[in-house]
């Protein structure tokens, strides 16, 4: 079934009094605005781009083109292959359309198993992503990796110092045109967490998890962090387009963001005509541009560049099999970010200025080591004295080669040889496992955070009510230090600022000491 209209676009009005249906109405203005923004943004964009949100004309054109190919096929075998290819292409077009509109697999999403898994994934988001700002410190270096230090300094840093108010207003206007609103919509965070739509809650439990998800994102500070980084990204992007001079690096940049040289030159003309350079802060005044084609393509490229600079997973970064089989999604939660970072950091970086990529990769690795130190301080763990472990931690935390490091860490979780083992043995002694996986059980490391959550719950229930037999001594015991660790891992907001250090440095050590 293809959904033709949904949400505020259904064009239906019930001629009844609100008071008669008060128990069924949502009076939360923020909830209503979130729903409108999420629904309308996709619908409007697809209507403008394709003329029909259902993509019927495009799908009919594909079907007609394959019809001609099948009719002219030289054999039945070739015609059969073309028919299967046609069905596969149309299926993928429809899946991409429905994913963008949020209507993909509506039947499955309305059933209890899907909603239970979605609730568990929302809970994983609440309990695990509290210190994500610390983990994202390396994103600062991504700005210069993408645009170069000069464009970042001239376009974002210097204007922020010279004229903070004007620069902030310019960034806000540019983000509005590009549809970037991280604080309100939590676009990047929801995609990192692989939560399809946390605002589609129905039961009281789902409503509670929805509210807690919103609180978790705001309390962690990641929403404002993402918004600030994307503000600097759009300013750097504008400055780079403004200063294009036809070099090979500029050509690679235009290819990456999908702007032709002609459109880029017309955008520069619009900036020169309507832009304003006041007190060190350049404002392109996009609202004054008289060429709508250039304006639309420019803001589209601006949005795409911001999502690449501040890595934001897109539909193309999702694992197709997980979208078709929703029961696999918990195992791949948080890993679509790994795929997105692989494409948008490693591959995109190597396709542009490789010298700049390597220099900033070294900077990001250094910041990754700083993240390792900060995490160790707030976790009550000692850092390694092995240089190889430090280098591996820097690379792992920086996210430069995220796909390979994720595979490496999964190997080491089952005592296989990974990057930490190899670099640790090469440059020192007693290599340690990746600290990013140190607090995960084997199920969580291999099958995702939901498996880890269920494993911790099983451990707590078994040790509390049944007891656990030690494999070495054969002694049956109740609550152990491992039980305390499991209880800490499943706490909502347990990984958030202030709460995480308190638990790791005071509450958990005290509980373990009492058990001893």
């Amino acid at each position: 079934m293809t959904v033709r209209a949904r949400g505020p676009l259904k064009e239906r009005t019930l001629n009844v009094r609100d008071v008669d249906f008060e128990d069924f109405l949502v009076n939360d203005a923020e909830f209503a605005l979130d729903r409108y923004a999420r629904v309308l943004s996709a619908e409007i964009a697809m209507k403008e781009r394709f003329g029909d949100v259902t993509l019927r004309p495009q799908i009919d054109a594909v079907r007609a083109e394959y019809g001609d190919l099948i009719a002219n096929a030289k054999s039945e075998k070739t015609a059969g292959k073309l028919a299967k290819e046609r069905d596969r292409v149309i299926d993928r077009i429809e899946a991409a359309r429905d994913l963008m509109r949020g209507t993909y697999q509506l039947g499955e999403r309305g059933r209890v198993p899907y909603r239970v898994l979605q609730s568990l994934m929302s809970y994983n988001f609440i309990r695990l992503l509290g210190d994500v700002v610390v983990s994202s410190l390396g994103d600062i270096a991504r700005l210069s990796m993408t645009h170069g230090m000069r464009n970042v300094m001239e376009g974002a840093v210097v204007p922020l110092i010279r004229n903070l108010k004007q620069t902030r207003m310019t960034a806000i206007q540019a983000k509005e045109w590009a549809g970037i609103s991280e604080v309100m919509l939590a676009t990047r965070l929801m995609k990192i967490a692989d939560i399809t739509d946390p605002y589609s809650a129905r039961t009281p439990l789902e409503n509670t998890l929805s509210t807690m998800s919103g609180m978790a994102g705001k309390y962690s500070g990641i929403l404002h962090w993402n918004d600030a980084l994307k503000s600097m990204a759009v300013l750097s992007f504008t400055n780079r387009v403004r200063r294009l001079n036809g070099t090979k690096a500029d050509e690679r940049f235009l290819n990456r963001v999908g702007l032709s040289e002609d459109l880029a030159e017309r955008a520069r003309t619009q900036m020169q005509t309507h832009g304003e350079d006041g007190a060190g802060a350049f404002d392109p005044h996009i609202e004054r541009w008289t060429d709508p084609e250039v304006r639309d393509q420019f803001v589209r490229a601006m949005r795409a560049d911001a999502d690449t600079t501040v890595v934001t997973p897109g539909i193309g970064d999702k694992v197709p099999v997980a979208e078709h089989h929703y029961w696999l999604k918990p195992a791949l939660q948080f890993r679509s970010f790994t795929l997105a970072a692989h494409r948008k950091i490693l591959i995109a970086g190597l396709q542009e200025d490789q010298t700049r990529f390597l220099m900033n990769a070294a900077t990001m690795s250094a910041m990754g080591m700083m993240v390792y130190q900060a995490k160790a301080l707030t976790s009550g763990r000692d850092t390694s004295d092995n240089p190889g472990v430090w280098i591996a931690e820097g690379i792992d935390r920086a996210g430069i080669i995220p796909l390979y490091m994720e595979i490496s860490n999964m190997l080491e979780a089952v005592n296989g040889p990974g990057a930490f083992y190899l670099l640790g043995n090469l440059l020192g002694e007693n290599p340690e496992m990746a600290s990013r996986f140190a607090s995960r059980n084997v199920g969580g490391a291999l099958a995702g955070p939901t498996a880890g959550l269920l494993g911790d719950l099983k451990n707590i229930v078994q040790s509390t009510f049944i007891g656990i037999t030690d494999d070495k001594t054969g002694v049956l015991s109740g609550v152990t230090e491992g039980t305390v660790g499991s209880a800490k891992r499943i706490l909502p907001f347990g990984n958030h600022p202030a709460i995480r250090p308190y638990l790791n440095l005071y509450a958990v050590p005290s509980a373990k000491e009492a058990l001893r």
Side-chain angles (χ1 to χ4, degrees):
M1 180 183 71
T2 301
V3 178
R4 297 199 64 85
R6 64 193 181 105
L9 298 176
K10 287 182 179 178
E11 301 175 352
R12 296 188 306 190
T13 301
L14 295 177
N15 295 316
V16 296
R17 298 186 306 167
D18 289 355
V19 68
D20 294 332
F21 295 87
E22 186 64 30
D23 292 342
F24 304 95
L25 298 179
V26 176
N27 295 314
D28 186 338
E30 184 176 359
F31 180 94
L33 286 171
D34 284 333
R35 292 292 297 164
Y36 266 66
R38 290 173 185 277
V39 171
L40 287 170
S41 58
E43 303 289 313
I44 292 172
M46 293 189 68
K47 180 69 175 179
E48 289 181 346
R49 179 65 179 83
F50 301 108
D52 188 337
V53 295
T54 66
L55 298 187
R56 278 296 118 204
Q58 288 77 17
I59 293 173
D60 290 341
V62 170
R63 186 173 283 111
E65 184 174 346
Y66 271 100
D68 293 339
L69 293 173
I70 292 171
N72 296 323
K74 296 181 179 180
S75 66
E76 291 186 5
K77 184 178 180 179
T78 302
K81 288 182 177 179
L82 287 170
K84 290 180 179 179
E85 182 179 319
R86 174 200 61 200
D87 295 340
R88 186 169 62 252
V89 169
I90 292 175
D91 178 67
R92 290 177 178 176
I93 293 173
E94 291 176 338
R97 173 202 64 196
D98 294 342
L99 282 168
M100 284 188 284
R101 300 181 67 201
T103 61
Y104 187 68
Q105 291 189 331
L106 277 179
E108 289 82 354
R109 288 168 59 185
R111 294 172 185 157
V112 172
Y114 181 93
R115 291 166 64 183
V116 170
L117 291 177
Q118 192 71 13
S119 296
L120 288 172
M121 292 171 68
S122 295
Y123 189 74
N124 291 333
F125 163 62
I126 294 166
R127 69 186 180 94
L128 293 176
L129 287 189
D131 63 343
V132 67
V133 171
V134 177
S135 302
S136 302
L137 290 177
D139 289 347
I140 297 173
R142 279 286 298 147
L143 293 166
S144 57
M145 177 183 282
T146 304
H147 293 294
M149 185 61 70
R150 177 183 176 184
N151 283 302
V152 175
M153 294 299 293
E154 289 183 351
V157 178
V158 173
L160 282 171
I161 296 172
R162 290 184 176 179
N163 194 336
L164 175 61
K165 183 178 180 180
Q166 178 60 43
T167 304
R168 183 171 178 272
M169 291 301 299
T170 300
I172 289 173
Q173 291 173 6
K175 288 190 300 177
E176 285 177 353
W177 276 99
I180 298 172
S181 183
E182 291 293 330
V183 174
M184 177 181 174
L185 298 179
T187 305
R188 186 192 185 209
L189 191 58
M190 294 300 103
K191 289 181 178 179
I192 289 175
D194 293 299
I195 300 175
T196 305
D197 189 357
Y199 300 102
S200 61
R202 299 167 190 163
T203 65
L205 175 60
E206 289 172 306
N207 279 325
T208 301
L209 288 174
S210 174
T211 302
M212 292 173 68
S213 297
M215 293 170 57
K218 292 175 183 176
Y219 179 49
S220 68
I222 188 61
L223 300 182
H224 295 85
W225 173 267
N226 290 337
D227 204 66
L229 286 180
K230 288 198 173 184
S231 295
M232 297 186 71
V234 298
L235 293 171
S236 301
F237 173 85
T238 301
N239 188 67
R240 187 167 183 181
V241 173
R242 183 185 173 204
R243 299 189 181 283
L244 290 173
N245 54 19
T247 64
K248 287 290 184 181
D250 290 338
E251 183 180 342
R252 291 192 294 266
F253 163 68
L254 292 176
N255 288 334
R256 178 174 63 80
V257 300
L259 277 180
S260 65
E261 292 185 7
D262 175 62
L263 283 171
E265 186 59 37
R266 286 159 63 186
R268 291 181 63 195
T269 301
Q270 293 292 319
M271 288 187 203
Q272 293 170 359
T273 305
H274 304 287
E276 182 179 354
D277 196 347
F282 178 75
D283 187 347
H285 284 298
I286 300 174
E287 73 280 2
R288 299 177 184 173
W289 289 16
T290 55
D291 191 332
E293 181 188 5
V294 172
R295 181 187 61 218
D296 293 345
Q297 292 297 322
F298 179 82
V299 297
R300 182 202 56 77
M302 181 189 294
R303 171 63 182 263
D305 179 77
D307 286 346
T308 298
T309 303
V310 185
V311 179
T312 304
I315 291 174
D317 299 305
K318 301 292 182 182
V319 180
V321 69
E323 296 300 334
H324 283 286
H325 306 289
Y326 65 86
W327 41 270
L328 287 175
K329 293 183 72 173
L332 297 167
Q333 188 176 15
F334 304 137
R335 284 172 175 156
S336 63
F337 176 76
T338 300
L339 295 175
H342 176 76
R343 181 172 67 85
K344 296 182 177 183
I345 294 179
L346 180 62
I347 296 178
L350 291 174
Q351 287 176 343
E352 283 208 51
D353 191 321
Q354 295 182 14
T355 302
R356 186 172 69 210
F357 170 79
L358 293 174
M359 290 176 60
N360 283 282
T363 304
M364 290 178 70
S365 297
M367 297 187 77
M369 295 181 194
M370 185 173 68
V371 171
Y372 169 53
Q373 176 69 48
K375 295 269 190 173
L377 289 174
T378 58
S379 300
R381 295 194 303 261
D382 294 327
T383 55
S384 174
D385 57 2
N386 187 318
V389 171
W390 275 88
I391 293 173
E393 284 285 355
I395 296 172
D396 187 26
R397 298 282 184 179
I400 305 166
I401 49 174
L403 184 60
Y404 305 114
M405 293 305 295
E406 188 75 15
I407 295 172
S408 167
N409 293 344
M410 291 173 66
L411 274 174
E412 294 191 355
V414 292
N415 298 319
F420 284 78
Y421 176 83
L422 296 174
L423 285 172
N425 277 319
L426 182 64
L427 300 176
E429 298 178 351
N430 302 319
E432 300 175 5
M433 179 182 170
S435 64
R436 194 162 58 87
F437 276 49
S439 62
R440 306 183 192 183
N441 53 35
V442 176
L446 297 180
T450 298
L453 173 64
L454 296 177
D456 285 330
L457 287 172
K458 173 182 175 293
N459 181 35
I460 294 170
V461 172
Q462 184 175 350
S463 61
T464 303
F465 298 102
I466 302 173
I468 298 176
T469 302
D470 190 285
D471 293 334
K472 295 181 179 179
T473 63
V475 176
L476 181 69
S477 59
V479 177
T480 64
E481 293 185 18
T483 310
V484 175
S486 294
K488 194 258 306 184
R489 286 193 292 270
I490 70 170
L491 280 178
F493 303 103
N495 212 26
H496 278 65
I499 299 177
R500 172 188 167 96
Y502 172 76
L503 290 174
N504 288 331
L505 300 178
Y506 299 102
V508 171
S510 299
K512 290 183 177 180
E513 182 62 29
L515 286 172
R516 296 192 193 101

